[in-house]
Amino acid sequence: MLLSKAKVGQTFSIKNVTGKEKVRKFLFTLGCSEGEEITLISKLAGNYIVNIKDGRYAIDEKMAKSIEV
Amino acid sequence: MRIALAGNPNSGKTTLFNAITGKTEVVGNWPGVTIAKKEADLKKKYKVNQTDVRIVDLPGTYSISPFTGEEVITRDFILEENPDVIINIVDGANLSRSLFFTTQLLELGIPVVVALNKNDIVSKRGDVVDVDALSKELNCKIIPTTATSEQGLSNLINEVVKAGKSNTTQSKTNFEGKNDKSSDTARQKFVNEIIKKCQVKKTDSAKITFSDKIDRIVAHKWLGIPIFFVIMWGVFTFSIEGLGGYLSEYFNETVFGEILPNAANNFFDGLGISPLLKDLIVEGAIGGVGAVIGFLPLIMVLFFCLSLLEDSGYMARVALIMDRYFKKIGLSGKSIIPMIVGSGCAIPGVMATRTIEDINERRMTTILTPFVPCGAKLPIIALFTAVFFPNNAWVGPSMYVIAIAMIIIGGLLLKRIFKWENASSFIMELPEYKMPSFKYAFSQMMNKAKAFIYKASTIILVFNTLVWFLQAYSWGLNPVEDQSLSILASIGTVISPILIPLGFLGWQLAAAAITGFIAKENVVATFAVLLAAASEEALHLPGGVLTQFFTPVTAFAYLAFNLFTPPCFAAIGAMNSELGSKKWLMRALAFQFSVGYILAMLINQIGTIIVYGETAVGFIPAIIITLLTAVYLVITIKKRGSMPTEVGVEA
């Protein structure tokens, strides 16, 4: 399932990250990559608030659609 | 010995830098505050054996391969300038992410000392990091620090100097795989293993925190924007109308209006110096510079409020709520940060655009940021509202509303003129909120005050004296009785015809606007000098001497003209370096000038018809200019429409 379809409050293991190479690489350095955990904290103002490792990030819908969990 | 500070964004590099050098560089609670390299000498207090140590603060980055513009600066410095030691500042509250970059730094062949920062937050959470084990795993020194309260810093510097002297580098951990991807994966695995061994976490970071609860309100779908506007409105009215305005009034009326000029007049009369020299000093220097410095409290209050806002962590949230709207006009949510910073000063505002990844969004933000009225434009706003709209408190803040409208319209136009498509995605780290430091805000305020006084007593004083000279002398260098025979008048007369459709009649207005490009405060100072002869009264009194030149409508237009035409030369310089090409700079300036010119013209022409029921001077040229602009826009946009979309290409 895509992260954009996920329910708030759930933690997932990341299966795959797609999209532009540069963005994928950047997400990787944050710890957003295959096998890592991601938690959807809330959906705010059209963005997805996620927890990766110990950090909170706001990502837009396009990016949420590129993360498969 | 040269020491570089490197680490993830918002890990506290600049806080540590300020603590060990005694500098007061801007810190803030969002990723991407530091956008340029900063250097300073180590404070005496931290010196070890009289070794001279130079500290270099670098923009934060998550990895050695850069994602945004300011990260390139960090990579280039570390790889090309060979610092003697790198202090890797690791956010203890986000250890597992930070170590990825640490492992990359360890491979460079430069001694690395890790500062395990935010130790206070870590212990408050009850998490435990086994520093010895971690040090062994990474094969480098690790010193726990709390930069905000300067704990562990002398210990850190001791180790760093030792490492720099012995110049022994840690043995390399090697993740060179067949390609980038497999080496990165190996690195990530290595880090995860270390974390398992060395860190015991009490708290689950995925749990809903207090910050998350605040976010659900301030970044709410419907509430987010109104809350943002209320906060910004509060900041600006407090600065312009509230405390800042109140203090400025006192400064203007009493200190620079009466006390100083009277004292100076008496003093020079007593000395018996030539009246011309006395005029130069009293009318030129004190009158002009005083008219500007009188607005100092306003700027201090503004910077104090902005500092608190930046320190709280709210800025990242504003980017988040604006993203959805800004995308529609070709910008990124991150574009709001340069704009808020730009409300203090356009130069750091424009520089902050380098945190935006997409080149089109970055260019547009660079072009649009100067539309936000900066601190230097505040004196103009304050002067004109005091003289022409003393009973309408909305006029000052309305300039910010117009700025927002201009940014939206400007964005939509630029997007169509150059046919840009948003190809970028938005990602922003949301740091935990923190109580803003009043002490820090105060020191920032004093810093800005010092810079403002410095500017007023150098560049503004010089130009003011020049303006005084130009309005007092003719081309033959003879003093003139009548200002209209002066050098300045003849220069102003050349330019003033193009300002007629805007309702600016008289060479004085053209002259003041021109001096504004040197520094926007000059507009106020120039009026003070030019009108000193016409009236004994202070410049800014309601219904004062300025009313000889403006109706309220043309005054409003003049405000808009000065606010929305290109910024001062220093800011244009910043635009030049961010845009990176002369062609784009010319486009940007042409665009800004057109927007300011046409806006002022529309305000004057339409305003005059509505308020006074008659057409303003230059009505026919105004219609011609409007039609020509409309035709140009339609043709350009049509032409672009048939062309393929440009995505992120260089000019």
Side-chain angles (χ1 to χ4, degrees), chain B residues 303-605:
Chain B
F303 274 104
F304 186 80
C305 296
L306 285 178
S307 267
L308 291 181
L309 205 62
E310 292 174 3
D311 207 16
S312 67
Y314 181 61
M315 299 283 268
R317 276 69 183 188
V318 181
L320 151 69
I321 48 178
M322 294 310 271
D323 186 56
R324 161 162 82 137
Y325 303 101
F326 269 19
K327 267 197 183 129
K328 296 207 171 96
I329 55 171
L331 301 172
S332 144
K334 283 188 186 175
S335 307
I336 192 71
I337 292 180
M339 289 170 187
I340 298 177
V341 173
S343 70
C345 175
I347 298 161
V350 166
M351 282 169 75
T353 56
R354 56 179 79 146
T355 62
I356 298 166
E357 181 225 342
D358 183 84
I359 183 165
N360 291 335
E361 293 173 351
R362 190 166 62 238
R363 267 187 199 140
M364 282 186 66
T365 313
T366 308
I367 298 172
L368 296 174
T369 295
F371 283 162
V372 180
C374 69
K377 290 171 180 170
L378 268 189
I380 313 178
I381 299 178
L383 174 69
F384 275 74
T385 49
V387 175
F388 294 98
F389 312 98
N391 303 318
N392 301 83
W394 56 269
V395 174
S398 79
M399 282 299 142
Y400 292 91
V401 177
I402 296 177
I404 296 166
M406 285 302 111
I407 286 166
I408 295 170
I409 297 169
L412 288 172
L413 279 178
L414 285 174
K415 199 178 156 187
R416 283 185 176 69
I417 293 175
F418 298 110
K419 195 144 190 253
W420 284 334
E421 206 56 54
N422 283 59
S424 75
S425 21
F426 176 77
I427 178 160
M428 179 97 191
E429 188 179 353
L430 300 177
E432 230 173 291
Y433 286 100
K434 80 187 227 307
M435 195 60 205
S437 156
F438 281 82
K439 195 178 138 205
Y440 167 74
F442 186 79
S443 79
Q444 278 303 312
M445 177 181 86
M446 294 319 280
N447 248 1
K448 291 286 151 43
K450 259 187 249 161
F452 185 80
I453 290 173
Y454 179 76
K455 188 177 171 193
S457 58
T458 51
I459 189 162
I460 293 173
L461 177 66
V462 167
F463 268 87
N464 218 32
T465 314
L466 186 69
V467 165
W468 182 87
F469 171 77
L470 293 177
Q471 60 88 36
Y473 283 82
S474 68
W475 287 101
L477 297 186
N478 299 313
V480 288
E481 276 294 314
D482 184 359
Q483 260 183 358
S484 63
L485 301 171
S486 67
I487 304 175
L488 194 64
S490 64
I491 299 174
T493 312
V494 174
I495 296 158
S496 62
I498 64 163
L499 299 179
I500 289 174
L502 285 59
F504 311 157
L505 310 174
W507 59 270
Q508 293 91 337
L509 313 191
I514 296 167
T515 58
F517 289 106
I518 310 295
K520 289 290 166 180
E521 298 96 330
N522 268 337
V523 175
V524 172
T526 302
F527 275 125
V529 172
L530 287 180
L531 304 180
S535 164
E536 287 294 305
E537 279 185 340
L539 188 63
H540 70 281
L541 290 180
V545 63
L546 273 175
T547 49
Q548 294 174 9
F549 291 95
F550 296 101
T551 65
V553 169
T554 54
F556 200 78
Y558 194 71
L559 252 186
F561 182 75
N562 279 295
L563 262 42
F564 299 113
T565 42
C568 65
F569 285 136
I572 292 175
M575 281 170 59
N576 180 36
S577 64
E578 294 312 314
L579 288 168
S581 85
K582 286 278 177 294
K583 190 168 140 200
W584 273 101
L585 181 70
M586 287 304 140
R587 284 173 173 174
L589 294 178
F591 179 78
Q592 288 169 344
F593 184 80
S594 312
V595 168
Y597 186 89
I598 289 169
L599 179 68
M601 190 177 77
L602 293 179
I603 291 175
N604 173 44
Q605 298 296 341

Side-chain angles (χ1 to χ4, degrees), chain B residues 74-308:
Chain B
T74 305
R75 181 204 55 191
D76 288 354
F77 183 85
I78 295 178
L79 295 185
E80 283 158 26
E81 305 227 0
N82 287 319
D84 295 297
V85 187
I86 297 174
I87 301 182
N88 172 217
I89 290 114
V90 163
D91 179 354
N94 201 336
L95 190 61
S96 53
R97 181 193 69 203
S98 314
L99 290 184
F100 185 82
F101 184 43
T102 308
T103 58
Q104 290 179 325
L105 289 176
L106 289 172
E107 287 163 18
L108 299 176
I110 300 169
V112 176
V113 176
V114 171
L116 191 60
N117 201 25
K118 303 200 184 176
N119 205 27
D120 54 335
I121 298 177
V122 178
S123 8
K124 212 161 108 194
R125 284 190 189 167
D127 296 348
V128 180
V129 180
D130 185 341
V131 175
D132 291 336
L134 187 62
S135 168
K136 232 184 220 161
E137 291 286 343
L138 291 174
N139 200 8
C140 79
K141 280 268 183 242
I142 295 176
I143 314 292
T145 57
T146 306
T148 45
S149 58
E150 304 202 14
Q151 266 164 29
L153 298 190
S154 29
N155 200 356
L156 175 73
I157 300 298
N158 275 333
E159 288 301 335
V160 169
V161 172
K162 226 190 275 171
K165 284 208 168 134
S166 63
N167 201 21
T168 45
T169 53
Q170 49 287 324
S171 59
K172 293 181 189 177
T173 38
N174 197 349
F175 301 107
E176 294 306 318
K178 278 178 233 117
N179 51 42
D180 260 13
K181 203 178 165 208
S182 66
S183 75
D184 275 356
T185 316
R187 195 187 297 282
Q188 198 69 271
K189 241 188 212 151
F190 174 74
V191 170
N192 287 348
E193 288 301 315
I194 293 181
I195 292 292
K196 257 185 225 155
K197 278 186 226 166
C198 307
Q199 189 185 34
V200 185
K201 277 175 60 179
K202 266 231 174 104
T203 44
D204 177 8
S205 58
K207 268 216 181 101
I208 303 297
T209 62
F210 183 59
S211 281
D212 292 321
K213 284 181 191 152
I214 299 179
D215 281 350
R216 283 180 186 176
I217 301 167
V218 301
H220 185 270
K221 219 193 305 182
W222 305 117
L223 293 176
I225 297 270
I227 290 176
F228 170 63
F229 280 121
V230 167
I231 291 177
M232 293 319 285
W233 182 84
V235 168
F236 294 127
T237 37
F238 185 60
S239 311
I240 302 174
E241 307 287 340
L243 182 66
Y246 177 78
L247 291 173
S248 280
E249 210 175 295
Y250 173 77
F251 261 59
N252 274 327
E253 254 163 48
T254 317
V255 180
F256 290 103
E258 289 166 17
I259 301 175
L260 262 178
N262 290 347
N265 270 330
N266 288 337
F267 178 72
F268 291 121
D269 283 344
L271 284 184
I273 59 164
S274 102
L276 210 61
L277 188 62
K278 189 187 88 178
D279 279 355
L280 167 65
I281 296 171
V282 178
E283 280 172 19
I286 299 181
V289 174
V292 173
I293 290 193
F295 293 103
L296 176 65
L298 213 128
I299 284 153
M300 287 170 76
V301 174
L302 174 70
F303 274 104
F304 186 80
C305 296
L306 285 178
S307 267
L308 291 181

Side-chain angles (χ1 to χ4, degrees), chain A residues 22 25-26 28-30 36 39 41-42 44-45 47 51 53-60 62-63, chain B residues 62-63 67 93-94 96-97 180 184 188 192 201 205-207 212 216 320 327 423 426-430:
Chain A
K22 199 180 167 194
K25 234 178 154 176
F26 180 67
F28 189 94
T29 61
L30 302 178
E36 298 283 346
T39 308
I41 302 287
S42 15
L44 295 173
N47 283 280
N51 184 77
K53 296 207 164 179
D54 293 326
R56 288 274 191 286
Y57 307 89
I59 58 175
D60 62 4
K62 199 169 142 201
M63 206 178 268
Chain B
Y62 296 105
S63 134
F67 184 63
N94 201 336
S96 53
R97 181 193 69 203
D180 260 13
D184 275 356
Q188 198 69 271
N192 287 348
K201 277 175 60 179
S205 58
K207 268 216 181 101
D212 292 321
R216 283 180 186 176
L320 151 69
K327 267 197 183 129
F426 176 77
I427 178 160
M428 179 97 191
E429 188 179 353
L430 300 177

